[in-house]
Amino acid sequence: MRIVFVMLGGFLLDLLLGDPEKLAPLHPVVWMGRAIRGLERTLRARFPKTRRGAYHAGLCMAVLMIAGTAALSAAVLYLLNTLWPPLSLAVETLWCWQAIAAKDLRVETMRVYDRLRAGTLEEARGMLSRIVGRDTGSLDAPGVIRAAVETVAENFSDGAAAPMLYMALGGAPLALGYKAVNTMDSMVGYRNERYRDFGKAPARIDDAVNFLPARLSALLLIAAAALCGEDARQAARIWRRDRRRHDSPNAGQCEAAMAGALGVRLCGPASYFGERHEKPYIGDDTRPVGAEDIPRACRMEAAGSLLCLGLLCLIRLWWVMI
């Protein structure tokens, strides 16, 4: 019951408050980022300056980050529980809140929509650059819209469904361990010269821990499409057809379901750090994307998050009762 309680509490806090900027310095992901940068400097200096040495340095960092984050958070909760159980419950609820990033995803994405509707394309590009890793400076309006919809789909898994799944399995310590993996991948999981070898192990671990959440998220988006009045049958069809077209074994899952539900084509070539990457398209080009596709995607993400919470809480309660 404790895990269900902290999951519900964390989700409610995210729904009401999102990620307040005033609390940003205290956010676990901020501290994870600092630890990753410190470990990168230290381990690169300790291991041989070869491709193999860089790979082993990255692998060592990944093990230390994941095990350290989960063990430290579990130890803190255990200590607080021995001192005063309500304090331990409150801290775990706080960490569950910080592990979920559902509301902020919608808020930041809707800012892109607002700039497209009431501002300039340059302002929309600037807002988009806050939530995507690709280069945004040369995107036209349809490119901005596609990128915004894609990030809603992909980050539904990373920011909502996956943290809640690991929460349901092991409470805040496991959810924070997942966030450590996700943070490493976002910081060092690139195929450029600097991180080609050092970031390989963190990227592969990220692929592994997101394998089940990505597929669960795609199914949840298909169900959310039905709830939101979108084309759930088409979402399921495009998901079955296009889910493996993405370079990542996981990213294409949610993007395919979203593309089918909205009846648009997503993905395609994109530029990262000034280098163009050829990517296949996902979905059918039945109509051009429009600005209204952004709030439609956000509604599906919100519905999918609620479905995920309800499903995982029911499974957890059933598991406790048997």
Side-chain angles (χ1 to χ4, degrees), residues 37 40 44 54 190-199:
R37 287 294 180 227
E40 180 183 354
R44 280 185 183 275
Y190 298 104
R191 296 179 182 177
N192 55 24
E193 184 177 353
R194 177 176 175 83
Y195 291 119
R196 177 184 56 192
D197 300 305
F198 183 84

Side-chain angles (χ1 to χ4, degrees), residues 50-165:
T50 62
R51 292 189 62 180
R52 187 176 181 85
Y55 172 79
H56 286 139
L59 177 61
C60 183
M61 181 192 72
V63 171
L64 289 173
M65 280 298 305
I66 299 166
T69 299
L72 179 61
S73 55
V76 169
L77 291 176
Y78 177 80
L79 177 61
L80 293 177
N81 197 57
T82 61
L83 297 175
W84 190 38
L87 180 58
S88 174
L89 190 67
V91 170
E92 186 165 14
T93 302
L94 174 68
W95 282 344
C96 286
W97 166 34
Q98 293 175 318
I100 300 171
K103 181 177 181 178
D104 256 31
L105 172 61
R106 296 190 296 273
V107 169
E108 292 293 328
T109 308
M110 286 303 294
R111 286 176 177 165
V112 178
Y113 170 75
D114 291 339
R115 293 300 87 204
L116 283 170
R117 298 283 292 179
T120 66
L121 178 58
E122 189 62 33
E123 290 173 334
R125 290 169 178 162
M127 288 296 175
L128 180 66
S129 67
R130 293 160 54 100
I131 57 174
V132 301
R134 73 185 66 186
D135 300 334
T136 63
S138 61
L139 292 178
D140 57 9
V144 169
I145 296 166
R146 278 195 298 270
V149 171
E150 288 165 25
T151 200
V152 170
E154 186 174 354
N155 285 291
F156 165 61
S157 178
D158 294 346
M164 285 194 281
L165 175 60

Side-chain angles (χ1 to χ4, degrees), residues 64-311:
L64 289 173
M65 280 298 305
I66 299 166
T69 299
L72 179 61
S73 55
V76 169
L77 291 176
Y78 177 80
L79 177 61
L80 293 177
N81 197 57
T82 61
L83 297 175
W84 190 38
L87 180 58
S88 174
L89 190 67
V91 170
E92 186 165 14
T93 302
L94 174 68
W95 282 344
C96 286
W97 166 34
Q98 293 175 318
I100 300 171
K103 181 177 181 178
D104 256 31
L105 172 61
R106 296 190 296 273
V107 169
E108 292 293 328
T109 308
M110 286 303 294
R111 286 176 177 165
V112 178
Y113 170 75
D114 291 339
R115 293 300 87 204
L116 283 170
R117 298 283 292 179
T120 66
L121 178 58
E122 189 62 33
E123 290 173 334
R125 290 169 178 162
M127 288 296 175
L128 180 66
S129 67
R130 293 160 54 100
I131 57 174
V132 301
R134 73 185 66 186
D135 300 334
T136 63
S138 61
L139 292 178
D140 57 9
V144 169
I145 296 166
R146 278 195 298 270
V149 171
E150 288 165 25
T151 200
V152 170
E154 186 174 354
N155 285 291
F156 165 61
S157 178
D158 294 346
M164 285 194 281
L165 175 60
Y166 285 106
M167 240 176 259
L169 292 173
L174 204 57
L176 292 177
Y178 168 78
K179 295 300 287 187
V181 174
N182 200 240
T183 305
M184 281 190 292
D185 184 62
S186 68
M187 293 179 66
V188 306
Y190 298 104
R191 296 179 182 177
N192 55 24
E193 184 177 353
R194 177 176 175 83
Y195 291 119
R196 177 184 56 192
D197 300 305
F198 183 84
K200 184 179 292 185
R204 288 180 174 174
I205 293 171
D206 184 78
D207 287 341
V209 300
N210 278 300
F211 186 87
L212 179 59
R215 285 145 185 83
L216 171 64
S217 298
L219 295 175
L220 288 168
L221 284 178
I222 294 170
L227 290 178
C228 296
E230 306 295 349
D231 195 338
R233 181 175 296 182
Q234 182 78 344
R237 184 182 74 83
I238 297 298
W239 172 67
R240 288 193 298 268
R241 190 192 73 186
D242 293 353
R243 59 185 171 174
R244 296 184 181 91
R245 287 189 180 178
H246 204 286
D247 287 344
S248 164
N250 301 318
Q253 301 285 329
C254 292
E255 290 174 353
M258 183 68 77
L262 299 180
V264 298
R265 189 172 68 170
L266 300 176
C267 299
S271 176
Y272 296 85
F273 304 105
E275 182 179 344
R276 181 181 171 89
H277 292 256
E278 297 297 330
K279 296 182 177 182
Y281 287 101
I282 291 177
D284 292 332
D285 192 18
T286 55
R287 66 170 180 84
V289 294
E292 294 304 318
D293 289 320
I294 295 177
R296 290 170 67 194
C298 288
R299 283 193 293 271
M300 284 180 56
E301 187 270 344
S305 297
L306 285 170
L307 286 171
C308 184
L309 176 70
L311 175 65

